[in-house]
Amino acid sequence: MDVLDLSRWQFGITTVYHFLFVPLTIGLSFVVAGLQTAWHRTKKPSYLRLTRFWGRLFLINFAMGVVTGIVQEFQFGMNWSAYSRFVGDVFGAPLAMEGLIAFFMESTFIGLWIFGWDKLPPRIHLATIWLASIGTFLSAYFILAANSWMQHPVGYRIDPVTHRAELTDIWAVLTNSTTLVTFPHVIFGAFVTAGAFVAGISAWQLARKRDVPMFRTSMRLALVTGLVAAGGVALSGHWQAQIMTEQQPMKMAAAEALWEDESSAGFSLFAIGDVENGRNSVNLQVPNGLSVLATNTLDGRVEGINDIQARYLALYGAGDYRPVIGLAYWSFRLMIGFGFLAGLLALAGLWLTRRGRTPVNPWFTRIAVAGIALPFLANSLGWIFTEMGRQPWTVFGVMRTAAAVSPGADVAEVAITLVGFTLVYAALAAVEVRLLLKFIRLGPEPEPGAETPAEPLPALSY
């Protein structure tokens, strides 16, 4: 592989790995804030114990997300310096706002929350976790604004002398239509992730009959959160598909393996494609499904890969403007499938816990624990589809990925750092899992007045 391929692999690995932590951090911060609010209002010890229990897991995940995110940003200068020089004035603005406003807000108020127990007035201390949660929202928004500019560049001009992109309207960048549909989709996905995480761990605790009333409450809260958020994911995903059809028709066509322009287009369930000849050998469809998804009409016209390729040749010049069709097609399907299963699991869990019931079937516990992985898989596949479906563009219609790579990088340097980052991230993953499992097994702090457990709970500086 050349420098371009290795750089893409390196950025892809670090991005997907970093995004494993982001949705859980966002969703779990609001779960913790909600539980602490319940404790503040009711003074029930169970809510305080749940706040501290889930708060520990939230902090572990937050710390790992910070570490991996910093490494990711350095790659813009190391591997993609041509891109950074060309669009730095535009792309750097929302990233700077994320660091100076959102991340500063998150880290400051998380610090106050950690060290403010019994030191700050209760209402002020409660406000710190809510402000930290809002900070995660803002951080996600600014990052998505930067990414959305790559999908649909607005609010800029190309300087005729320097041939660099210059920011002309920051408000246009921050209110990009792509951002406005992507943000709720990501946030709902974060709540599905947190819901599955809390429900799975709660099911594990219930199977061991530990604090049954408390963890049943925790599970019900998580299941309701996950189910409502799954509906939000589906609705916002529908809006996002319509914007994608308008702004990046090749991405939508690749997602559906649709080769020719078609009215009343069906939604593909399973296809075997012949990429060289630009057609499908097998294609099982839901009639009119794609037209509804893309245009909200049964007979809406959707552009096909071959027709878009011909149009792009005339517009942008020679080149292959198709992404990897098989990857786009299957990542789109698997994203939807895993997300649907996460919502279905939440619905099944609510049914099994209705009217005060506590699930005792060991199969449900196994499925609930395994179900923790579902939203993580859906989130990762969604980002893979989003970024790979945009290829061969780094900035759609403006800069190709091949032109964005650092001209001074060589194969050996990128290969060494690729292997190094991958090994370091594998070690960090082992540390993350070990810490999470340790605190999950230890469970919540004992109730006030209860006997101290034989193995003391590790201090986490509350």
Side-chain angles (χ1 to χ4, degrees):
M1 291 189 287
D2 58 17
V3 171
L4 175 61
D5 292 329
L6 289 171
S7 295
R8 290 179 67 188
W9 269 104
Q10 186 177 103
F11 196 79
I13 289 171
T14 55
T15 299
V16 171
Y17 186 84
H18 171 64
F19 199 70
L20 291 175
F21 306 104
V22 172
L24 183 59
T25 295
I26 296 171
L28 206 52
S29 68
F30 279 87
V31 170
V32 173
L35 288 169
Q36 186 169 344
T37 301
W39 170 67
H40 181 77
R41 291 173 61 89
T42 66
K43 301 304 179 184
K44 291 182 179 180
S46 60
Y47 286 125
L48 176 60
R49 296 175 67 209
L50 285 173
T51 300
R52 289 178 174 268
F53 175 72
W54 296 114
R56 288 191 180 96
L57 305 186
F58 159 70
L59 291 174
I60 293 168
N61 191 76
F62 175 81
M64 202 63 69
V66 171
V67 171
T68 56
I70 291 173
V71 173
Q72 182 186 9
E73 291 194 2
F74 274 115
Q75 289 187 59
F76 290 118
M78 296 187 300
N79 298 76
W80 306 100
S81 61
Y83 167 79
S84 298
R85 280 194 296 269
F86 180 65
V87 304
D89 290 347
V90 183
F91 188 76
L95 290 184
M97 296 173 77
E98 189 272 337
L100 295 173
I101 299 173
F103 181 71
F104 181 81
M105 183 176 177
E106 289 176 68
S107 56
T108 298
F109 287 108
I110 284 176
L112 289 171
W113 185 71
I114 293 172
F115 299 106
W117 290 93
D118 301 324
K119 296 179 178 66
L120 294 173
R123 288 187 179 181
I124 300 298
H125 187 258
L126 176 61
T128 62
I129 187 60
W130 277 110
L131 289 169
S133 301
I134 294 169
T136 66
F137 260 36
L138 292 175
S139 182
Y141 191 89
F142 289 128
I143 294 295
L144 289 171
N147 181 267
S148 295
W149 187 84
M150 299 169 69
Q151 312 287 341
H152 180 234
V154 295
Y156 78 103
R157 74 180 185 97
I158 302 296
D159 187 288
V161 178
T162 63
H163 304 290
R164 297 175 66 236
E166 293 184 347
L167 181 66
T168 60
D169 189 348
I170 184 61
W171 183 248
V173 173
L174 294 178
T175 59
N176 191 339
S177 58
T178 308
T179 308
L180 297 180
V181 296
T182 301
F183 178 69
H185 192 63
V186 169
I187 295 301
F188 281 126
F191 282 117
V192 174
T193 305
F197 182 79
V198 173
I201 294 171
S202 297
W204 187 86
Q205 301 284 3
L206 288 173
R208 282 148 186 79
K209 302 188 185 307
R210 300 171 65 178
D211 296 295
V212 171
M214 188 174 74
F215 276 110
R216 186 186 175 280
T217 298
S218 178
M219 173 181 275
R220 290 282 296 181
L221 171 65
L223 293 171
V224 170
T225 300
L227 183 60
V228 173
V233 167
L235 185 59
S236 59
H238 178 62
W239 294 335
Q240 195 172 17
Q242 294 179 346
I243 290 290
M244 182 173 65
T245 302
E246 176 186 338
Q247 296 173 353
Q248 298 182 55
M250 181 66 85
K251 185 187 289 188
M252 175 55 85
E256 288 298 311
L258 182 70
W259 295 97
E260 308 294 341
D261 290 359
E262 189 175 334
S263 298
S264 303
F267 182 88
S268 179
L269 297 176
F270 177 81
I272 299 176
D274 182 354
V275 177
E276 291 186 5
N277 295 309
R279 62 184 180 85
N280 292 322
S281 303
V282 177
N283 194 7
L284 179 63
Q285 295 181 316
V286 176
N288 306 99
L290 178 56
S291 289
V292 173
L293 178 66
T295 69
N296 270 347
T297 62
L298 290 172
D299 58 352
R301 188 169 183 80
V302 184
E303 292 183 278
I305 296 169
N306 295 333
D307 299 281
I308 299 170
Q309 170 67 13
R311 180 160 61 85
Y312 283 1
L313 285 172
L315 183 62
Y316 300 117
D320 187 354
Y321 297 95
R322 302 174 303 174
V324 180
I325 306 299
L327 180 61
Y329 179 86
W330 286 110
S331 60
F332 187 67
R333 248 129 223 88
L334 291 172
M335 172 192 69
I336 294 173
F338 286 130
F340 174 78
L341 289 176
L344 188 62
L345 180 59
L347 180 62
L350 285 173
W351 174 258
L352 293 173
T353 56
R354 70 192 188 282
R355 297 177 183 174
R357 292 178 173 88
T358 300
V360 294
N361 191 320
W363 278 104
F364 175 76
T365 301
R366 295 189 186 99
I367 293 172
V369 173
I372 294 174
L374 292 173
F376 287 96
L377 291 169
N379 291 329
S380 297
L381 287 162
W383 271 111
I384 290 171
F385 167 71
T386 298
E387 300 305 295
M388 293 296 291
R390 188 183 65 240
Q391 299 303 317
W393 301 103
T394 298
V395 182
F396 183 78
V398 177
M399 187 181 202
R400 301 190 197 188
T401 305
V405 72
S406 297
D410 62 45
V411 171
E413 290 174 340
V414 181
I416 290 170
T417 54
L418 170 60
V419 173
F421 281 142
T422 304
L423 291 176
V424 169
Y425 279 2
L428 289 174
V431 171
E432 162 97 355
V433 172
R434 184 182 178 87
L435 285 173
L436 288 176
L437 291 177
K438 181 175 183 178
F439 281 95
I440 290 168
R441 290 192 183 105
L442 286 170
E445 296 175 352
E447 293 186 44
E451 294 183 6
T452 304
E455 183 179 357
L457 290 169
L460 200 63
S461 299
Y462 275 134

